[in-house]
Amino acid sequence: QHQRNANMLPRSPSILLLTILGWAGVLSVWAEDLLPSYGDLPLSADIGSLDDECSVSDGGCASSFVQLRANLHSDDHAASEARQVRSNRRRRGGSKPASGSIPQTLAGVVEHLWSVDAPYRLEPGNGYQLHQTAMQSTGSRSLGALFQYVDEAKLRQMPCTASFLALLDNFERETDKQETETSQERSEVSRFMEELMATPHMKYAYDVLKDWKSISSDYTAFGAQIKKIWMTQYSLGRGPIASSGFEHVFVGEEKYDKKSQKDTITGLHNWIQFWHEEKAHHIEYLGSKSQSGTHLVSARFEWKDDDPEKEYKSISTMLVGSSVPFEMAMLSVAFISFGGEAKVPGIYFGNEGPAQIVSYSWDSHGETFVRTA
């Protein structure tokens, strides 16, 4: 699968549709140079390589929408990364444009979106408190909850929170079970999209993509495009209509892993969904790691459903405290502007980073949708 160079300018829409490639099986996953590390402790010793969980033949992917760059590489690697970021800024016009202009780097866009999200975002301490402990193996004793406290009053004041929560029970989490959408569920999607597209986050995302010439539509058509790439349900290979980008990233899925011969969890990279399921006693927390600011958290867990087994995920990285519109805007800009296949380092969330944003696409019946981001 073609890997897009992060230093290149975004593709135009006409080129985008010609160059996006689907998976050979379900997802062609990055493996080289992408083992995340958190703080000073590489996670490779804990979770193995990403190849262990994500492969061309597997029915899904356990990787996260944000992959932190390894902090313990050699000085040469660090210098090379710094040169790459500087080169990216030069090619895209710098990360600190003149006042009122659109940044020409994804890092600059995320920086602005982070400031837009400030009135809505929950911060560590008064907004939420985490119980972080060393990661345990599956079957270990319960460690309690990751989320010890969440300011629910402020959370529910965030744009789209209520309509987002209403969507979470609309999906069959198994990727081999046919999805059916009721009229009520369609109404819930419409309400969520209406509220989402009214946010300053998505309006800014539109301005960015228009400035970058990644879209040429008006705002109404842009909203329809966002709904299509995220909410359209599709078949993974020859299976039933059972998945969507939104379900994979924000809700989470269950798939059969041929290597381990067990059902495993893929996706689930949204902190609100994690908190919601943990609060309902469906998630059994097995430890986590984070950077010092604790907005970027990597957790291990088991997820219960209506069968006797507890499906397991060895690592899932989430951006904690941010609003749903922030994540939708950030990931949509990355996905659309990089032709579905973003691999962009040098991203900061306030003082936390550097992080890397990665997205992959799925082609179905001549259309291109989000698979993971």
Side-chain angles (χ1 to χ4, degrees), residues 8 12 34-35 52 54 189 218 231 241 257-258 362 368:
M8 296 173 64
S12 65
L34 282 180
L35 272 176
D52 290 341
C54 308
V189 171
D218 60 21
M231 297 295 183
I241 303 298
D257 180 69
K258 293 179 180 178
W362 182 266
T368 300

Side-chain angles (χ1 to χ4, degrees), residues 100-356:
S101 63
I102 298 294
Q104 297 301 298
T105 63
L106 186 57
V109 170
V110 173
E111 180 182 359
H112 183 82
L113 280 170
W114 191 251
S115 66
V116 170
D117 202 48
Y120 314 106
R121 185 171 59 246
L122 300 188
E123 297 292 349
N126 61 351
Y128 62 89
Q129 295 172 9
L130 304 179
H131 169 54
Q132 296 191 265
T133 185
M135 290 188 179
Q136 309 293 318
S137 60
T138 181
S140 300
R141 64 180 177 84
S142 174
L143 299 175
L146 170 62
F147 287 94
Q148 297 293 295
Y149 165 75
V150 169
D151 185 345
E152 291 191 47
K154 183 171 181 179
L155 170 63
R156 295 183 184 280
Q157 291 173 1
M158 283 185 183
C160 306
T161 297
S163 57
F164 173 77
L165 289 170
L167 299 179
L168 298 180
D169 63 354
N170 290 358
F171 303 93
E172 296 284 351
R173 87 179 199 187
E174 295 87 352
T175 57
D176 60 355
K177 286 189 178 180
Q178 178 81 28
E179 294 281 1
T180 56
E181 190 177 47
T182 66
S183 58
Q184 178 180 339
E185 290 171 348
R186 284 191 291 273
S187 296
E188 289 171 351
V189 171
S190 296
R191 180 186 174 193
F192 171 75
M193 290 303 307
E194 182 179 348
E195 293 182 2
L196 175 69
M197 298 310 296
T199 63
H201 309 71
M202 294 307 296
K203 291 175 181 178
Y204 180 70
Y206 173 76
D207 290 341
V208 168
L209 291 169
K210 283 281 284 188
D211 184 80
W212 288 2
K213 304 189 187 309
S214 294
I215 58 172
S216 58
S217 57
D218 60 21
Y219 195 69
T220 299
F222 174 60
Q225 181 184 7
I226 295 299
K227 181 179 180 181
K228 182 178 77 171
I229 64 175
W230 282 102
M231 297 295 183
T232 299
Q233 296 176 345
Y234 47 75
S235 171
L236 298 175
R238 298 181 180 179
I241 303 298
S243 189
S244 67
F246 180 86
E247 180 184 2
H248 180 84
V249 175
F250 288 90
V251 183
E253 297 179 302
E254 176 184 325
K255 59 97 176 180
Y256 181 74
D257 180 69
K258 293 179 180 178
K259 185 174 181 179
S260 65
Q261 297 186 340
K262 294 180 180 179
D263 289 331
T264 59
I265 299 303
T266 69
L268 206 171
H269 305 301
N270 178 260
W271 78 272
I272 299 176
Q273 163 68 337
F274 191 102
W275 163 79
H276 182 260
E277 288 296 288
E278 191 175 60
K279 186 179 178 184
H281 305 291
H282 296 158
I283 280 182
E284 189 164 319
Y285 169 56
L286 295 174
S288 63
K289 288 185 172 65
S290 74
Q291 289 199 324
S292 58
T294 67
H295 275 298
L296 284 168
V297 175
S298 178
R300 177 176 292 171
F301 60 93
E302 292 176 327
W303 192 14
K304 305 173 187 177
D305 58 0
D306 54 4
D307 59 48
E309 292 80 20
K310 299 177 188 177
E311 284 71 37
Y312 172 72
K313 186 161 188 186
S314 67
I315 198 76
S316 186
T317 303
M318 299 168 285
L319 187 60
V320 178
S322 55
S323 71
V324 172
F326 172 83
E327 294 183 17
M328 287 290 290
M330 173 180 67
L331 299 177
S332 296
V333 169
F335 183 84
I336 294 171
S337 66
F338 285 87
E341 296 179 27
K343 183 180 174 182
V344 186
I347 304 297
Y348 283 82
F349 304 102
N351 295 324
E352 294 184 59
Q356 179 166 262

Side-chain angles (χ1 to χ4, degrees), residues 11-77:
R11 297 187 179 103
S12 65
S14 60
I15 299 175
L16 182 151
L17 293 177
L18 294 174
T19 54
I20 294 177
L21 299 176
W23 298 340
V26 170
L27 179 62
S28 176
V29 181
W30 59 100
E32 64 181 55
D33 195 36
L34 282 180
L35 272 176
S37 73
Y38 297 84
D40 294 325
L41 181 63
L43 289 180
S44 56
D46 292 325
I47 66 171
S49 71
L50 292 177
D51 262 344
D52 290 341
E53 295 189 336
C54 308
S55 71
V56 171
S57 60
D58 285 345
C61 178
S63 55
S64 67
F65 77 86
V66 175
Q67 293 291 338
L68 292 183
R69 300 293 289 178
N71 293 330
L72 295 183
H73 287 348
S74 67
D75 291 341
D76 287 344
H77 180 88

